[in-house]
Amino acid sequence: MKYRRVFTIVIDSFGIGAMDNARQYGDEGADTLGHIDEHMEIFSIPNLMSLGLGRIHPVIHAPSPEKIVGYCARMNEASTGKDTMTGHWELMGLKITQPFLTFTETGFPLELIEALERETGHKVIGNRAASGTAILDELGEEHIKTGAMIVYTSADSVLQIAASEESFGLNELYRCCEIARSLTMKAQWKVGRVIARPFVGKKRGEFVRTANRHDYALKPFGPTVLNVLKDRGYDVISIGKINDIFAGEGITKALRSKSSAHGMEQTIGSMDEDFSGLCFVNLVDFDALWGHRRNPVGYGQELERFDEKLGIVLEKLKDDDLLMITADHGNDPTFKGTDHTKEMVPLLLYSPSMKGSRRLEDTHTFACVGATIADNFSAAMPEGTIGESLLGDLV
């Protein structure tokens, strides 16, 4: 064991340029970081820059750092798809060859909607691809008046149910989502996630989604690096929606976050704990609040807020800690539509004990993250997984 604790932070949707096969997804020319940078007059991300972000992608409006530390690389995705589960599962070793089902163009089949209405006892309204905030403005008042569930999807493989915490009730929303998850285990309806989307407010223009979101994800189709670490007695702490993405598999302690800022505060808090293993963090606001809503300045400002807290993380790192910062896909806030974008993602690696600093070769898979973690703890990668360790490059 070279590092006793590994902190892996996923900046959800932080792409750094289109992959070679982006054209197959309609994403040629996408560049989340590059297009955010174009919209920022001054881009204050000194800590990300000091970790080598500018070595793997030009950042014109961020001042150059006095010193660059650690190692950096661009990672390509080996899996088919560009969604949350595909990206995270590959980070921990699983290659997805069959993309998860989506219902973006058609909405969900009538047979599924009828079954959902019958088993929950609630009518369904919506049933189409939509922005979560836009559909609340459109249907929120009707939902409160009638008790009908707002069901919608997106470009992801998701079935989302929005309901008022005040009139419908959080427990009832969770119950209905559990029913939806059970129904969508059928092969012809098998979405990657069912998501509970609670909100508060009484009328159009005042509806606000709350932090009580809950994802009901499929279990990974095989063991991941998380399972291996847990089985070997190491701690696997999840922060944010990591626990949901992996359906609890391989997790020893789960913390839910109210926001990306809260997630970073939880990460900073975990650094004061005496544990041995992995702290795995997802920061979802970059994707949900700014990428999907096509707000490049908002995304850039969220990165600046993250960078401030990253400074605290860097100060608290111990010599036997390893920090890994990466992403799960792109979501270019200047691109057409509101979908994720097929992009490379960054990998920034740093420990205070490192003596070297350089750019590594581009990787052909995100799974080098999980492989590096497994190698650090002298654990074999699970059978059927992919990825090669970078540990030997970190000196």
Side-chain angles (χ1 to χ4, degrees):
M1 182 173 61
K2 188 173 182 179
Y3 303 104
R4 190 169 68 90
R5 305 187 302 181
V6 178
F7 296 88
T8 300
I9 300 175
V10 178
I11 304 176
D12 200 306
S13 82
F14 189 40
I16 56 170
M19 282 180 51
D20 288 342
N21 65 347
R23 181 181 296 220
Q24 299 174 21
Y25 295 81
D27 293 335
E28 189 176 23
D31 184 353
T32 299
L33 173 57
H35 291 141
I36 291 168
D37 182 36
E38 288 178 2
H39 284 76
M40 303 295 289
E41 292 185 11
I42 299 176
F43 202 2
S44 181
I45 49 172
N47 294 302
L48 283 168
M49 295 298 287
S50 73
L51 294 176
L53 183 62
R55 280 180 166 171
I56 54 177
H57 190 293
V59 190
I60 305 301
H61 295 101
S64 298
E66 293 182 5
K67 182 181 179 181
I68 298 177
V69 297
Y71 295 79
C72 57
R74 299 186 306 182
M75 297 197 301
N76 289 279
E77 188 172 27
S79 296
T80 302
K82 53 177 180 176
D83 59 78
T84 296
M85 288 176 59
T86 299
H88 281 81
W89 286 11
E90 184 169 319
L91 284 168
M92 292 299 119
L94 295 180
K95 180 180 178 180
I96 312 301
T97 57
Q98 184 67 35
F100 296 106
L101 291 179
T102 60
F103 296 89
T104 312
E105 302 299 327
T106 61
F108 298 103
L110 180 60
E111 185 182 0
L112 170 58
I113 295 299
E114 289 176 342
L116 186 59
E117 290 180 331
R118 183 171 60 251
E119 297 200 21
T120 63
H122 298 283
K123 287 291 186 182
V124 165
I125 54 177
N127 189 26
R128 62 180 179 276
S131 157
T133 52
I135 204 165
L136 289 187
D137 273 344
E138 180 186 347
L139 298 176
E141 291 180 2
E142 181 180 350
H143 156 75
I144 291 171
K145 181 179 179 180
T146 66
M149 302 183 298
I150 303 172
V151 173
Y152 64 105
T153 188
S154 68
D156 273 357
S157 179
V158 293
L159 184 154
Q160 304 185 77
I161 303 179
S164 167
E165 284 192 9
E166 299 157 318
S167 62
F168 195 86
L170 196 58
N171 290 336
E172 179 64 5
L173 174 59
Y174 290 164
R175 183 188 74 87
C176 293
C177 286
E178 289 168 1
I179 291 170
R181 176 71 280 178
S182 178
L183 290 171
T184 54
M185 292 306 294
K186 292 185 178 181
Q188 68 271 30
W189 302 333
K190 190 177 284 189
V191 292
R193 288 176 293 160
V194 171
I195 306 178
R197 290 287 196 176
F199 66 92
V200 293
K202 302 295 185 184
K203 62 182 181 180
R204 178 185 176 93
E206 296 180 357
F207 297 123
V208 178
R209 296 196 294 194
T210 75
N212 292 317
R213 161 185 171 159
H214 186 56
D215 294 35
Y216 300 81
L218 295 174
K219 286 189 176 183
F221 60 79
T224 72
V225 172
L226 306 182
N227 298 100
V228 170
L229 294 183
K230 181 180 179 181
D231 291 347
R232 291 174 66 90
Y234 290 105
D235 297 294
V236 182
I237 301 168
S238 76
I239 294 178
K241 64 179 185 178
I242 295 294
N243 188 62
D244 289 343
I245 293 168
F246 289 88
E249 289 291 303
I251 306 296
T252 62
K253 179 181 178 180
L255 301 176
R256 297 182 66 182
S257 304
K258 298 177 182 178
S259 64
S260 289
H262 184 219
M264 285 299 289
E265 291 166 3
Q266 291 170 310
T267 303
I268 292 166
S270 72
M271 300 182 79
D272 294 327
E273 297 182 14
D274 182 22
F275 72 92
S276 181
L278 173 66
C279 179
F280 195 8
V281 183
N282 173 276
L283 305 176
V284 71
D285 287 353
F286 297 94
D287 186 52
L289 296 185
W290 314 115
H292 285 303
R293 298 186 190 179
R294 294 302 185 245
N295 187 335
V297 173
Y299 201 130
Q301 291 171 341
E302 189 77 34
L303 283 168
E304 292 178 331
R305 290 189 289 271
F306 164 78
D307 195 272
E308 290 181 11
K309 295 191 182 299
L310 176 59
I312 301 173
V313 170
L314 294 175
E315 290 177 0
K316 293 175 74 71
L317 281 175
K318 299 178 180 179
D319 284 351
D320 58 353
D321 289 338
L322 174 64
L323 174 65
M324 311 175 82
I325 298 176
T326 188
D328 54 343
H329 51 73
N331 196 345
D332 186 339
T334 71
F335 212 62
K336 59 188 178 183
T338 60
D339 191 8
H340 296 154
T341 42
K342 189 70 169 178
E343 296 184 55
M344 296 175 287
V345 301
L347 178 60
L348 309 176
L349 306 110
Y350 174 69
S351 172
S353 61
M354 287 178 175
K355 296 179 175 60
S357 174
R358 65 184 176 92
R359 175 177 173 171
L360 304 175
E361 293 183 4
D362 294 354
T363 74
H364 64 277
T365 172
F366 296 175
C368 62
V369 171
T372 300
I373 294 168
D375 187 16
N376 179 69
F377 293 105
S378 301
M381 290 287 286
E383 184 178 353
T385 55
I386 62 173
E388 296 180 359
S389 174
L390 301 176
L391 194 65
D393 294 317
L394 311 182
V395 297

